[in-house]
Amino acid sequence: MPLPTYDPARIETELQAHWQAENSYRAVEDPRRKKFYCLSMFPYPSGRLHIGHVRNYTIGDVISRYQRMQGYNVLQPMGWDAFGLPAENAAIDNQLAPSRWTRDNIATMRAQLKRLGFGYDWSRELCTCDPSYYRWEQWFFCRLLEKGLVYRKQALVNWDPVDQTVLANEQVIDGCGWRSGAPVQQREIPQWFLRITTYADELLEELQHLSDWPESVRNMQRNWIGRSRGLEIDFSCEDSGEPLQVYTTRPDTLMGVSYMAVAPQHPLARQQARQDAELAAFLQKHTHGAVNEAAMNTVEKCGRPLGIHAIHPVSGEQLPIWVANFVLMSYGTGAVMCVPAHDQRDWEFARLYQLPIRQVVYPEDGSDWDLEAGAYTAYGRLRNAGDFDGLDFDDAFTAIAAQLRRQKRGRERIQYRLRDWGISRQRYWGCPIPAVYGEDEQPEPAPELPVILPEDVVPDGKRSPLAGLADFVSLTHPDGRQLHRETDTFDTFFESSWYYARFCCPDAHAQMLDERANYWLPVDQYIGGIEHGVLHLLYARCFHKLLRDAGLVDCDEPFTRLLTQGMVLNGGVKMSKSLGNTVDPQEYVDRYGADTVRLYLLFSAPPEQSMEWSDERIVGAHRFLNRLWRIVHAHVAATPATTPDDTALATRRLIHRTIAKVNDDIGRRHMYNTAIAAVMELLNALARLDDAAAASRQEGLETAVLLLAPVVPHITDALWHALGHTEPLLDHPWPVPDPALLVQDTMQIVIQVDGRLRASIVVPANITEAGLREQALSHGNVRRHMQGRKLHKFICVPGKLVNIVLSPS
Ligand code: ANZ
């Protein structure tokens, strides 16, 4: 009879229908069982799945299935990060409401995910654009507003004067609006902020306990939070009456200060500009310059003297005050003391405007530093620094801090680079911010929730659609007051900051989170792209602490383990639409089946590394599954043999060594590629056995099927049944290696007679010295060389050799 052929499309769709009918992935809370919450970052429904999604979700699915076979109660949910700008852009292009476009995409992508066989609990599916989801973040926002944890203040936006709309950064192309082409203006408008800085210390501190996060991500977060310790110093300023306050992390350089600089937005600069038209023009030009630090460092330096002076708090010297474009208004005090000998920016500025450069810190080893080449920015020992000569950084910090404290001119301060999170966007397709305003324009929580986003709107890229909807904007408070609504929506990071928690209880209708959250949380394994290493993960960590402090969850951190998967490259570069080098995963699923695509993605590279797409290797993966299929079916069709199997022990050893290796690779190292390679080797060995070894071959094939089950769940399920099993593979316990079969249980011993090699024997590893002596002395060749002489000494080097020393004849 011909062997059945491998038909992935049929076995995969049949099994998927079976899973759906049986609710095979439904996660049910059970306090008696240990839980495992495995979460992959949910997608933005952009249209179709791209290969990066498939890689991400395959990794998550393998971890989930593996943990399930380990006996855990596994939760693996999926949902949609459904608000965002692309829907608005598509709406403008296609004259289709963003909600329609989004929901159509979701339907497509959901079907694609199901076809890939990912074991999601679809009963928990959530979609952030549904009022049943966003009403709870609106509710939570109102609580934060009451507690003062969100607030409104003026901030800069990109304004398109033709389309009369605020533009996102990615809609500004070469300084012009992407649709109108008009030069973009910077405007100050009131925006909402969340006080993430309240948690700066905790967010930083707890990074050290997140030992199962990649070190790179923890470092990115540390830098982003940017804690520094320094002094706040007041320089008196005769001309203005007010002291000029600066923040410095290098008080040791105080004696090297030769000028001061303030940001263009600084009050002192504005005050001076009232009498100086040229200065006013300069400020006008530079007020809307670069607003972040990275841009600050690269921008060409320029400035102007304000014509006034500050007094050095120790030397009493007069220091000119400049306005400089490299000083940020939003950091520290918006003013700096400039030490050109020890700060590169100050140095460049001083060279440009011929300001004095005075070195006060010198290398510890006594060597000189060439100030012509640039600033000496390292720590060192003080010289030319008056009373502070001879001190190192720490002692100078302490001494200068003490002196300024006595003069009431300085105090120690901890400063963070982290800014409060701007959560409002002037966009239509987002969650409405549930604030309302009365006549006094003071924000208050909306009187009724949810504030539903009108969905039958097709934006045209001009003006704000919400502001134009009178029905939406105006309302009457239950107490009779006429109010108007906020028309900004939340940054979409707001929705993605708490979805992991809502998955625990997506159907809680009366509250944001219920007790189920404390069963599942924290997420045991989170998987996603490194591009979310800073913002999303930091916002979600912050949100979690807000939830905790509101009594909604118990634990301190949301994600215990983090895996950041690498990119999929094509031709050595990242796949992207603009480069035209993308591949559509669906095509490959249609051609080879989901199992082949899954196996290929995992076999190509360790998950955290980037992988190069290769059509040949995907064919190779398919060939391997065909071979697995044939080996199992040929085995099943073979007639059982009656001859003894003298390879049995060796085969069983190989099987158990493979189990041990795969356990370590999957469970600890997340190295699916080497795990798969080990199973391939096992299969090669099994294929060489003849039918006399059918019993050990059965054990070997069952093991191979179990070990591959998380990776290729469909073909392994079919083969599991072919091997004679009726119970589902899904919940079969993961194989455990037999320790007795892992030990190396024989060894080779060399036998010398009077120092000459005379024999080599294989003995049990646990042989006693007496047993070894008996075997050695009875060996034929050894006896011949002893020639009846008497044994003088028996020397034994354990595990290696014995030497038989004879008495002189
Ligand atoms: C004097 C000095 C001497 C400085 C020196 C550095 C080196 P971090 O570590 O990032 O906190 N600074 C302070 N406020 C600033 C602002 N608003 N815009 C631009 N630069 C500002 O950086 C603190 C240092 O950055 C401060 O220490 C200050 O320059 C500068 F050899 O003061 B320093």
Side-chain angles (χ1 to χ4, degrees):
M1 219 178 67
L3 300 179
T5 50
Y6 173 41
D7 178 358
R10 187 180 58 78
I11 61 170
E12 290 176 1
T13 49
E14 276 177 18
L15 185 60
Q16 287 159 10
H18 173 76
W19 286 338
Q20 181 148 348
E22 296 285 308
N23 281 325
S24 301
Y25 300 99
R26 183 74 163 263
V28 180
E29 296 73 23
D30 181 350
R32 290 160 308 175
R33 289 183 65 200
K34 285 198 296 180
K35 62 89 187 180
F36 193 95
Y37 182 0
C38 183
L39 182 66
S40 293
M41 292 181 182
F42 68 163
Y44 177 74
S46 53
R48 296 167 71 75
L49 290 182
H50 61 70
I51 200 76
H53 288 131
V54 181
R55 187 178 192 199
N56 189 156
Y57 301 149
T58 302
I59 295 166
D61 198 47
V62 170
I63 296 173
S64 298
R65 290 173 184 277
Y66 171 78
Q67 296 296 349
R68 179 166 177 165
M69 291 173 79
Q70 293 284 344
Y72 284 92
N73 188 18
V74 171
L75 167 60
Q76 192 188 202
M78 184 43 76
W80 311 98
D81 191 11
F83 279 132
L85 195 55
E88 282 185 53
N89 296 344
I92 297 168
D93 292 343
N94 312 329
Q95 286 304 299
L96 199 68
S99 63
R100 259 290 302 283
W101 181 85
T102 303
R103 286 177 216 281
D104 289 351
N105 289 347
I106 289 175
T108 307
M109 291 169 77
R110 185 194 297 113
Q112 289 187 300
L113 289 174
K114 287 191 173 176
R115 183 61 191 83
L116 278 153
F118 298 134
Y120 298 131
D121 179 353
W122 285 106
S123 73
R124 293 175 189 254
E125 178 179 0
L126 61 78
C127 178
T128 58
C129 67
D130 285 343
S132 62
Y133 180 80
Y134 68 65
R135 67 175 299 162
W136 294 112
E137 72 189 43
Q138 292 182 335
W139 173 82
F140 197 59
F141 171 88
C142 293
R143 304 291 80 74
L144 297 177
L145 181 56
E146 288 160 0
K147 286 198 234 167
L149 286 164
V150 291
Y151 62 93
R152 236 158 70 104
K153 73 163 193 213
Q154 296 284 116
L156 286 179
V157 294
N158 306 307
W159 176 255
D160 185 322
V162 171
D163 282 348
Q164 297 282 300
T165 185
V166 171
L167 300 177
N169 286 335
E170 55 271 32
Q171 292 175 322
V172 180
I173 294 156
D174 296 331
C176 297
W178 66 311
R179 298 189 71 82
S180 70
V184 167
Q185 302 170 353
Q186 302 279 308
R187 269 209 181 175
E188 274 208 330
I189 61 166
Q191 304 209 54
W192 286 96
F193 290 86
L194 186 145
R195 273 186 220 284
I196 188 173
T197 49
T198 321
Y199 289 95
D201 240 340
E202 195 188 343
L203 289 168
L204 183 69
E205 269 308 297
E206 273 173 13
L207 283 174
Q208 79 194 45
H209 305 303
L210 294 176
S211 52
D212 289 312
W213 280 39
E215 190 52 38
S216 60
V217 174
R218 290 195 283 162
N219 272 331
M220 281 155 62
Q221 297 217 347
R222 272 188 201 111
N223 291 334
W224 190 265
I225 296 167
R227 180 184 198 270
S228 67
R229 171 176 166 260
L231 282 194
E232 201 171 68
I233 307 178
D234 305 328
F235 285 72
S236 56
C237 178
E238 286 165 358
D239 317 78
S240 87
E242 295 269 313
L244 177 58
Q245 199 176 65
V246 304
Y247 173 71
T248 178
T249 47
R250 293 292 304 271
D252 60 320
T253 65
L254 180 63
M255 300 312 286
V257 175
S258 58
Y259 64 99
M260 310 289 287
V262 301
Q265 301 90 337
H266 195 278
L268 203 51
R270 291 195 173 167
Q271 178 193 308
Q272 290 307 107
R274 281 191 213 119
Q275 312 124 36
D276 181 340
E278 268 180 57
L279 178 62
F282 177 91
L283 298 189
Q284 175 65 26
K285 178 157 176 239
H286 291 281
T287 295
H288 301 314
V291 283
N292 67 57
E293 269 178 86
M296 273 296 143
N297 289 329
T298 53
V299 63
E300 207 172 311
K301 302 199 168 40
C302 63
R304 284 185 69 86
L306 293 184
I308 51 174
H309 292 81
I311 310 293
H312 193 287
V314 177
S315 70
E317 193 190 339
Q318 296 247 333
L319 304 163
I321 305 177
W322 286 63
V323 54
N325 67 338
F326 67 84
V327 184
L328 277 173
M329 193 58 217
S330 56
Y331 190 66
T333 61
V336 289
M337 61 180 217
C338 294
V339 192
H342 302 297
D343 181 282
Q344 188 59 24
R345 289 179 304 186
D346 299 350
W347 184 89
E348 286 167 25
F349 195 81
R351 297 282 284 211
L352 191 61
Y353 295 108
Q354 277 119 47
L355 294 159
I357 301 178
R358 199 174 300 144
Q359 185 170 4
V360 291
V361 180
Y362 289 81
E364 287 280 355
D365 62 7
S367 64
D368 274 326
W369 176 263
D370 179 13
L371 274 180
E372 287 297 305
Y376 175 68
T377 57
Y379 288 166
R381 215 163 268 283
L382 269 58
R383 230 198 282 163
N384 304 326
D387 291 351
F388 308 108
D389 274 2
L391 301 182
D392 65 7
F393 173 80
D394 287 327
D395 291 342
F397 191 121
T398 311
I400 289 171
Q403 169 157 351
L404 293 176
R405 203 180 316 117
R406 275 194 306 274
Q407 299 177 4
K408 298 207 175 4
R409 295 193 167 278
R411 58 215 71 85
E412 207 178 307
R413 200 171 120 182
I414 303 292
Q415 165 84 27
Y416 296 91
R417 183 169 295 125
L418 183 69
R419 297 277 81 103
D420 277 343
W421 170 19
I423 52 173
S424 52
R425 296 290 180 272
Q426 295 68 47
R427 306 251 60 99
Y428 158 67
W429 187 236
C431 168
I433 297 180
V436 294
Y437 306 87
E439 264 169 26
D440 58 0
E441 293 298 317
Q442 278 306 305
E444 55 186 281
E448 273 169 26
L449 295 182
V451 177
I452 294 194
L453 181 74
E455 289 203 4
D456 51 351
V457 173
V458 181
D460 59 4
K462 299 176 189 167
R463 297 168 303 273
S464 157
L466 283 184
L469 295 175
D471 284 357
F472 178 80
V473 175
S474 44
L475 73 157
T476 310
H477 193 276
D479 67 15
R481 283 179 299 143
Q482 271 304 308
L483 303 171
H484 64 95
R485 280 190 204 283
E486 172 65 66
T487 54
D488 284 0
T489 54
F490 283 128
D491 173 9
T492 59
F493 275 125
F494 214 69
E495 283 86 58
S496 58
S497 289
W498 70 287
Y499 78 110
Y500 65 91
R502 184 69 183 176
F503 272 138
C504 301
C505 49
D507 56 354
H509 294 305
Q511 47 189 322
M512 185 174 190
L513 299 174
D514 64 25
E515 66 289 347
R516 289 174 286 175
N518 282 330
Y519 174 72
W520 293 113
L521 292 176
V523 172
D524 295 278
Q525 178 72 63
Y526 198 25
I527 307 120
I530 187 88
E531 66 275 16
H532 294 299
V534 180
L535 296 183
H536 162 60
L537 287 166
L538 199 61
Y539 294 152
R541 291 181 62 216
C542 171
F543 222 97
H544 191 82
K545 293 171 196 307
L546 290 166
L547 293 171
R548 177 200 62 194
D549 293 347
L552 292 164
V553 295
D554 287 344
C555 49
D556 292 321
E557 284 285 334
F559 313 118
T560 306
R561 261 161 286 198
L562 174 69
L563 189 155
T564 49
Q565 98 270 7
M567 280 190 299
V568 183
L569 310 176
N570 199 359
V573 290
K574 186 182 178 170
M575 281 191 187
S576 79
K577 273 192 192 149
S578 58
L579 291 171
N581 63 347
T582 53
V583 296
D584 182 357
Q586 191 63 46
E587 265 178 40
Y588 292 87
V589 173
D590 292 344
R591 201 174 321 154
Y592 302 113
D595 281 339
T596 292
V597 173
R598 298 167 59 116
L599 177 73
Y600 164 68
L601 287 172
L602 292 176
F603 187 52
S604 287
E608 299 192 90
Q609 288 176 20
S610 56
M611 60 170 277
E612 179 69 36
W613 182 263
S614 148
D615 275 355
E616 264 153 57
R617 295 198 68 181
I618 202 165
V619 174
H622 191 57
R623 214 176 290 129
F624 169 74
L625 292 182
N626 267 302
R627 179 168 147 78
L628 172 68
W629 179 271
R630 277 197 313 274
I631 294 173
V632 171
H633 281 285
H635 163 80
V636 171
T639 25
T642 47
T643 39
D645 172 13
D646 46 29
T647 57
L649 188 61
T651 305
R652 297 203 66 218
R653 284 222 187 88
L654 176 62
I655 293 170
H656 286 260
R657 275 208 306 277
T658 307
I659 297 173
K661 166 148 182 64
V662 172
N663 276 355
D664 190 50
D665 284 352
I666 296 190
R668 186 179 64 88
R669 305 193 314 138
H670 291 314
M671 291 295 214
Y672 312 109
N673 56 332
T674 53
I676 294 165
V679 181
M680 288 176 171
E681 269 173 47
L682 171 64
L683 267 178
N684 286 342
L686 296 175
R688 283 194 295 267
L689 297 175
D690 59 31
D691 289 347
S696 36
R697 196 168 59 194
Q698 172 83 14
E699 184 185 350
L701 290 173
E702 285 180 357
T703 304
V705 162
L706 287 169
L707 297 180
L708 288 174
V711 178
V712 285
H714 312 91
I715 187 174
T716 48
D717 181 86
L719 296 177
W720 185 243
H721 292 301
L723 286 166
H725 296 275
T726 48
E727 84 282 16
L729 181 58
L730 216 48
D731 288 311
H732 192 281
W734 188 256
V736 184
D738 179 349
L741 290 166
L742 293 180
V743 292
Q744 186 75 32
D745 58 354
T746 59
M747 56 187 182
Q748 196 170 31
I749 299 286
V750 159
I751 306 171
Q752 298 177 335
V753 179
D754 276 342
R756 297 239 182 95
L757 176 69
R758 296 303 180 200
S760 158
I761 56 173
V762 173
V763 295
N766 57 358
I767 193 166
T768 58
E769 189 170 326
L772 189 59
R773 182 179 170 132
E774 195 188 308
Q775 284 213 21
L777 293 176
S778 59
H779 192 279
N781 205 35
V782 172
R783 283 174 53 186
R784 214 169 31 254
H785 283 93
M786 288 176 71
Q787 288 169 342
R789 281 158 61 195
K790 275 185 72 183
L791 176 71
H792 172 62
K793 215 173 165 189
F794 184 84
I795 303 166
C796 174
V797 182
K800 284 213 175 104
L801 61 77
V802 298
N803 190 7
I804 295 163
V805 184
L806 303 175
S807 356
S809 48

